[in-house]
Amino acid sequence: MGQVTRRGFVGGAAALGGTVAVGLGAPSKAQAKELGPVRVAPGDPRYEDLAVRRTNQRFQPRPEYFHVVGSTEQVVKAVQDGVRAGKRITVRSGGHCYENFVGEGSQIVIDMCEMSNVYFDERRGAFAIEAGATLMQAYRSLYLGWGVTIPGGQCGGVAAGGHIAGGGYGQHSRRLGSVVDYLHAVEVVVVDRSGRARAVVATRNPSDPHHDLWWAHTGGGGGNFGVVTRYWMRDPKAAGKDPAKLLPKPPPALLVCHPAWSWADMTRESFSTLLRNHGEWHERNSEAGKPYAGLWSALIVQSRVQGADPGGMILPTLMESSVPDAERLLSAYFAAVTRGVSARAHIPPVVRMPWYQAVSTQALGGDEGTGMFKAKSAHLRRRFTDRQIGVAYDHLAVPGPGSTGGTMVLASYGGRINAVAPGATAVAERSSVIKALFVNTWEEGNGAEHIAWVRRFYRTMYADTGGVPVPGGGNGGAYINYPDIDLADPAWNTSGVPWPTLYYGDNYARLQRVKARWDPRGVFRHALSIRAAR
């Protein structure tokens, strides 16, 4: 069977070689200030390189200048200069925003890519991860240095800056929880009512006068309150001073398998059975602390294309080897998903990989950052209804205008994520078992047909609730790290439920109060930014 992954989103076996090594100890003051401050304006050859340093090529920031920073002090000065000059400031860490939040009307882009150290901070007793460090850099440094990890995402090129603030999740989240459940402290450059920029460290400690700012960064989304310069990570249940015991240890190895199906064999009945099986399995097996919390998969369904190889669907699956009877559980999972599906499944042999090799080679989205896309998200508390499964088949199984890059991804969720109270962090959705992504990609042009296709698909999937996944019943709202400005557009959101409820549920009012306190001038804003309480 041919390649069934979409470049840029579903590189299930994409290699992420060439990961930049980072120091295993705390950087010296001299090292921290070695770079910058660097202002890059039009006419400088570096400007065009910085303009294309992004994943979604739909959007190209053209600010008056990029400000590449190398320390918190430089960020404070960059923000202060921008505020004093009355300039519109935006910030970028990894460049993976799904919408145009960095480029929209920006006059100054503060680029965090060179603030990428990962180290153990003895003074705070926690691991520091600077905002520009990619997830793969963090995984490598934490693992090789201390044998620990965080339950972050599969896209190794995503940087910590926006990922953690938005409540990131990954292949170990079913066992370990959301990455923000390990956030010990955060350093943020904020601007007060008088226009003065300063750096603030906010901690998990409820007695900290800045505690509300910490809470807002446990799922409130990036670009809302200030410029995050670094995070400190530590298991809140950990005791002592030994760094090797302050974050969870990954399993020694992962069992890896990628079952696949071709559209050539897939009837409507088989498709419906496959999606029902997959959804019902997650309904039954997403409790915290159970053996299957060690399993993560993502059912990736391509839209069918014309030609000898119509494409199909793939189920990249990772099982922690340390789970008792892991191989039998993995086989039982495949048997449950394929039960009653007449379409032939290609299930390759299970491969056992050392943990870091598996994480670095099996990452989703391990691409070179080209192409354009439009994406939408949803949390599923239960499987799709039969009507929704039929909608998915109609949109994905039949080639049509703008459908060629279409993909639906259904990723495992739940487990320990759902063991945390919705108000304990800003991540309000703690009841879902699957996270869904609807995306269309294209290589050139304005993509009007492709955007229209994914909009129709999503609106029809959620036609029963006004075109969007209104929280309640089988829906759990949307995911702020996959932002979609259509949710704020009454032409596409006809539910009468405002977009903040879809992303933040009952936590939005508290986030508004934090916004009013820490960004009273509205310096940090974008199309889906939190609006201060009035």
Side-chain angles (χ1 to χ4, degrees):
M1 159 171 201
Q3 180 86 357
V4 297
T5 57
R6 293 293 189 209
R7 182 159 66 97
F9 262 94
V10 291
L16 290 176
T19 302
V20 178
V22 298
L24 298 182
S28 70
K29 196 72 171 176
Q31 288 174 324
K33 288 194 171 183
E34 185 174 333
L35 176 104
V38 178
R39 289 193 184 190
V40 180
D44 186 316
R46 294 173 294 179
Y47 185 92
E48 296 304 324
D49 275 307
L50 287 168
V52 299
R53 199 186 76 76
R54 65 203 188 283
T55 294
N56 195 347
Q57 303 293 306
R58 285 174 64 198
F59 310 117
Q60 183 168 326
R62 308 298 299 185
E64 293 179 12
Y65 61 88
F66 292 94
H67 203 137
V68 182
V69 292
S71 69
T72 299
E73 292 81 4
Q74 291 177 22
V75 175
V76 171
K77 187 176 187 307
V79 171
Q80 188 67 76
D81 290 347
V83 170
R84 188 175 294 118
K87 301 294 185 181
R88 171 92 163 84
I89 301 168
T90 59
V91 61
R92 177 174 66 187
S93 51
H96 281 73
C97 185
Y98 284 17
E99 293 287 4
N100 194 24
F101 294 170
V102 173
E104 58 178 39
S106 179
Q107 294 167 300
I108 301 170
V109 173
I110 298 176
D111 195 302
M112 307 295 293
C113 65
E114 291 302 314
M115 285 191 66
S116 58
N117 285 292
V118 179
Y119 58 95
F120 183 70
D121 185 335
E122 292 187 2
R123 185 171 67 89
R124 293 198 177 274
F127 290 93
I129 302 176
E130 291 185 336
T134 67
L135 296 180
M136 200 56 63
Q137 286 175 316
Y139 299 154
R140 175 170 172 166
S141 187
L142 292 173
Y143 181 60
L144 296 183
W146 299 275
V148 298
T149 192
I150 54 174
Q154 299 83 36
C155 301
V158 169
H163 178 75
I164 294 176
Y169 77 105
Q171 65 265 36
H172 295 309
S173 289
R174 280 166 57 86
R175 180 172 66 88
L176 300 177
S178 171
V179 70
V180 297
D181 299 335
Y182 296 84
L183 182 61
H184 182 72
V186 59
E187 182 179 64
V188 193
V189 175
V190 297
V191 178
D192 64 19
R193 193 172 298 279
S194 70
R196 180 175 68 97
R198 63 191 175 104
V200 173
V201 174
T203 72
R204 175 186 289 276
N205 187 342
S207 65
D208 181 353
H210 306 146
H211 179 72
D212 62 340
L213 187 62
W214 167 87
W215 180 87
H217 284 86
T218 62
N224 272 310
F225 310 98
V227 181
V228 174
T229 52
R230 82 192 73 232
Y231 299 97
W232 285 270
M233 312 300 292
R234 177 183 171 126
D235 188 334
K237 297 178 181 178
K241 298 181 180 180
D242 182 352
K245 297 180 180 178
L246 300 182
L247 281 176
K249 292 187 178 298
L254 294 175
L255 305 180
V256 179
C257 188
H258 293 187
W261 297 261
S262 172
W263 278 120
D265 302 323
M266 188 65 65
T267 63
R268 178 183 288 271
E269 181 181 5
S270 283
F271 182 85
S272 299
T273 302
L274 177 63
L275 262 66
R276 273 197 298 270
N277 289 348
H278 177 267
E280 289 172 355
W281 184 92
H282 281 83
E283 290 177 3
R284 296 190 305 268
N285 294 282
S286 295
E287 291 183 59
K290 300 295 185 180
Y292 272 122
L295 182 146
W296 177 91
S297 69
L299 180 58
I300 301 168
V301 185
Q302 287 183 313
S303 56
R304 184 168 185 155
V305 295
Q306 302 283 2
D309 182 357
M313 50 220 71
I314 190 169
L315 185 66
T317 305
L318 308 175
M319 182 74 181
E320 298 186 6
S321 65
S322 53
V323 174
D325 217 7
E327 292 191 17
R328 183 190 65 78
L329 290 171
L330 185 60
S331 295
Y333 170 63
F334 293 147
V337 171
T338 58
R339 185 172 294 115
V341 178
S342 60
R344 181 178 62 88
H346 171 66
I347 303 180
V350 174
V351 177
R352 181 186 177 95
M353 291 186 179
W355 178 79
Y356 183 72
Q357 181 194 16
V359 168
S360 61
T361 62
Q362 303 298 307
L364 294 176
D367 71 301
E368 64 275 20
T370 62
M372 293 165 272
F373 65 86
K374 172 68 177 178
K376 296 171 174 289
S377 69
H379 287 110
L380 278 63
R381 295 175 179 174
R382 296 196 293 269
R383 72 165 177 88
F384 286 138
T385 66
D386 289 348
R387 183 197 70 81
Q388 288 176 311
I389 292 174
V391 169
Y393 183 85
D394 291 340
H395 282 77
L396 293 163
V398 181
S403 70
T404 52
T407 304
M408 179 178 71
V409 182
L410 303 176
S412 298
Y413 204 63
R416 188 169 166 185
I417 296 172
N418 294 346
V420 176
T425 66
V427 176
E429 180 48 35
R430 298 283 189 168
S431 300
S432 293
V433 298
I434 293 173
K435 195 184 289 284
L437 176 68
F438 307 83
V439 63
N440 207 347
T441 64
W442 61 97
E443 294 296 325
E444 57 185 25
N446 63 15
E449 284 191 337
H450 295 80
I451 294 173
W453 179 89
V454 74
R455 281 174 165 167
R456 289 193 304 269
F457 184 10
Y458 191 74
R459 180 173 62 184
T460 310
M461 284 293 283
Y462 294 101
D464 296 339
T465 51
V468 294
V470 175
N475 299 329
Y479 178 42
I480 193 59
N481 271 358
Y482 300 160
D484 173 19
I485 60 173
D486 292 347
L487 298 190
D489 185 343
W492 295 103
N493 177 2
T494 60
S495 68
V497 176
W499 67 264
T501 301
L502 300 174
Y503 285 118
Y504 300 116
D506 293 338
N507 286 341
Y508 187 61
R510 184 176 176 184
L511 288 166
Q512 287 184 289
R513 294 193 294 272
V514 178
K515 177 74 169 179
R517 179 187 178 191
W518 291 102
D519 186 23
R521 297 166 64 101
V523 172
F524 305 101
R525 62 190 187 275
H526 50 72
L528 292 180
S529 58
I530 291 164
R531 278 46 166 174
R534 298 188 184 279

